[in-house]
Amino acid sequence: NQLTGTFSDGMAADLRRLRHFYADHNKFSGTVPSNLPEIGNQRVLDLTINDNSFTGTLPTAFNKNNLSLLTYRFQNNNWNTRAKISGEVCSLFVLEGKGEMVEMGANCDYCPCDEACDRCID
Protein backbone atom coordinates (compact mmCIF):
# COMPACT_ATOMS: atom_id res chain seq x y z
CA ASN A 1 0.00 0.00 0.00
CA GLN A 2 0.97 3.62 -0.25
CA LEU A 3 -1.59 5.08 2.14
CA THR A 4 -0.88 8.59 3.42
CA GLY A 5 -2.20 10.85 6.16
CA THR A 6 -2.13 11.00 9.92
CA PHE A 7 -3.76 9.09 12.76
CA SER A 8 -6.42 11.00 14.65
CA ASP A 9 -6.50 11.30 18.43
CA GLY A 10 -9.94 9.64 18.45
CA MET A 11 -8.85 6.64 16.43
CA ALA A 12 -8.48 4.28 19.40
CA ALA A 13 -11.99 5.05 20.61
CA ASP A 14 -13.38 4.56 17.10
CA LEU A 15 -11.77 1.14 16.68
CA ARG A 16 -12.92 -0.62 19.85
CA ARG A 17 -13.59 -4.00 18.24
CA LEU A 18 -10.34 -4.16 16.30
CA ARG A 19 -8.04 -7.10 17.04
CA HIS A 20 -5.39 -6.77 14.30
CA PHE A 21 -4.02 -3.36 13.25
CA TYR A 22 -1.66 -3.51 10.28
CA ALA A 23 -0.64 -0.04 9.09
CA ASP A 24 2.91 -0.97 8.13
CA HIS A 25 4.75 -0.16 4.89
CA ASN A 26 2.76 2.94 4.01
CA LYS A 27 3.44 6.66 4.05
CA PHE A 28 1.64 7.66 7.24
CA SER A 29 3.16 10.69 8.94
CA GLY A 30 2.78 12.95 11.95
CA THR A 31 2.73 11.84 15.55
CA VAL A 32 1.10 8.70 16.81
CA PRO A 33 -1.71 9.40 19.29
CA SER A 34 -0.67 8.72 22.87
CA ASN A 35 -3.77 6.57 23.33
CA LEU A 36 -2.83 4.15 20.52
CA PRO A 37 -2.29 1.33 23.08
CA GLU A 38 -6.02 1.61 23.85
CA ILE A 39 -6.93 0.55 20.30
CA GLY A 40 -9.19 -2.49 20.21
CA ASN A 41 -10.30 -1.73 23.75
CA GLN A 42 -6.79 -2.83 24.86
CA ARG A 43 -7.37 -6.29 23.39
CA VAL A 44 -5.55 -5.82 20.08
CA LEU A 45 -3.35 -8.79 19.17
CA ASP A 46 -1.16 -7.26 16.47
CA LEU A 47 -0.09 -3.61 16.27
CA THR A 48 2.22 -2.88 13.35
CA ILE A 49 3.08 0.70 12.41
CA ASN A 50 6.57 0.04 11.07
CA ASP A 51 8.06 1.46 7.87
CA ASN A 52 6.14 4.74 7.73
CA SER A 53 7.14 8.37 8.35
CA PHE A 54 5.88 8.84 11.91
CA THR A 55 7.62 11.45 14.05
CA GLY A 56 7.66 12.39 17.71
CA THR A 57 7.75 9.83 20.48
CA LEU A 58 6.39 6.34 20.86
CA PRO A 59 3.20 5.77 22.83
CA THR A 60 3.99 4.71 26.39
CA ALA A 61 0.53 3.98 27.76
CA PHE A 62 0.94 0.20 27.65
CA ASN A 63 0.02 -1.51 30.88
CA LYS A 64 -1.26 -4.73 32.37
CA ASN A 65 -4.46 -4.39 30.33
CA ASN A 66 -2.57 -4.99 27.07
CA LEU A 67 -1.70 -8.57 28.02
CA SER A 68 -3.11 -10.01 24.77
CA LEU A 69 -0.68 -8.07 22.55
CA LEU A 70 1.32 -10.62 20.54
CA THR A 71 3.10 -8.44 17.99
CA TYR A 72 4.26 -4.81 18.25
CA ARG A 73 6.35 -3.49 15.34
CA PHE A 74 7.32 0.18 15.10
CA GLN A 75 10.76 0.23 13.48
CA ASN A 76 11.86 2.35 10.53
CA ASN A 77 10.03 5.59 11.20
CA ASN A 78 11.34 9.08 11.97
CA TRP A 79 11.00 8.93 15.75
CA ASN A 80 12.57 11.54 17.99
CA THR A 81 16.10 10.32 18.70
CA ARG A 82 15.39 10.41 22.44
CA ALA A 83 12.23 8.34 22.08
CA LYS A 84 12.34 5.04 23.93
CA ILE A 85 9.64 2.49 24.41
CA SER A 86 8.30 2.13 27.88
CA GLY A 87 9.59 -0.54 30.20
CA GLU A 88 5.94 -1.54 30.57
CA VAL A 89 6.08 -2.78 26.97
CA CYS A 90 9.05 -5.00 27.87
CA SER A 91 7.02 -6.58 30.66
CA LEU A 92 4.45 -7.79 28.11
CA PHE A 93 6.94 -10.32 26.69
CA VAL A 94 5.92 -13.92 27.22
CA LEU A 95 9.39 -14.62 28.66
CA GLU A 96 8.68 -12.13 31.44
CA GLY A 97 5.60 -14.14 32.40
CA LYS A 98 3.29 -11.12 32.44
CA GLY A 99 2.00 -11.03 28.87
CA GLU A 100 1.72 -12.90 25.61
CA MET A 101 4.00 -10.81 23.34
CA VAL A 102 6.25 -12.95 21.18
CA GLU A 103 7.44 -10.41 18.58
CA MET A 104 8.64 -6.84 18.76
CA GLY A 105 10.13 -4.94 15.85
CA ALA A 106 12.26 -2.09 17.12
CA ASN A 107 15.23 -0.04 16.04
CA CYS A 108 18.06 -0.64 18.50
CA ASP A 109 18.15 3.02 19.56
CA TYR A 110 14.59 2.82 20.93
CA CYS A 111 14.60 -0.58 22.59
CA PRO A 112 15.47 -1.05 26.30
CA CYS A 113 14.12 -4.62 26.40
CA ASP A 114 16.80 -7.27 26.96
CA GLU A 115 14.66 -9.95 25.33
CA ALA A 116 14.11 -7.94 22.13
CA CYS A 117 17.25 -5.87 21.79
CA ASP A 118 19.35 -8.80 20.69
CA ARG A 119 17.00 -8.97 17.69
CA CYS A 120 16.59 -5.23 17.09
CA ILE A 121 16.95 -3.61 13.68
CA ASP A 122 20.05 -1.46 13.13
Side-chain angles (χ1 to χ4, degrees), residues 80-102:
N80 180 317
T81 56
R82 290 176 287 170
K84 298 272 187 199
I85 60 169
S86 165
E88 291 178 354
V89 175
C90 301
S91 72
L92 298 175
F93 262 99
V94 70
L95 296 175
E96 292 288 319
K98 298 178 184 174
E100 300 294 324
M101 189 184 320
V102 293

Side-chain angles (χ1 to χ4, degrees), residues 5-15 29 31-36 54:
T6 60
F7 288 178
S8 73
D9 288 337
M11 182 180 72
D14 294 338
L15 302 172
S29 60
T31 59
V32 173
S34 62
N35 65 351
L36 186 66
F54 290 117

Side-chain angles (χ1 to χ4, degrees), residues 4 6 8 15 52 58 60 66-68 72 82-83 103 105 116 119:
T4 61
T6 60
S8 73
L15 302 172
N52 281 287
L58 297 161
T60 59
N66 295 96
L67 295 178
S68 61
Y72 181 36
R82 290 176 287 170
E103 180 181 356
R119 297 183 299 272

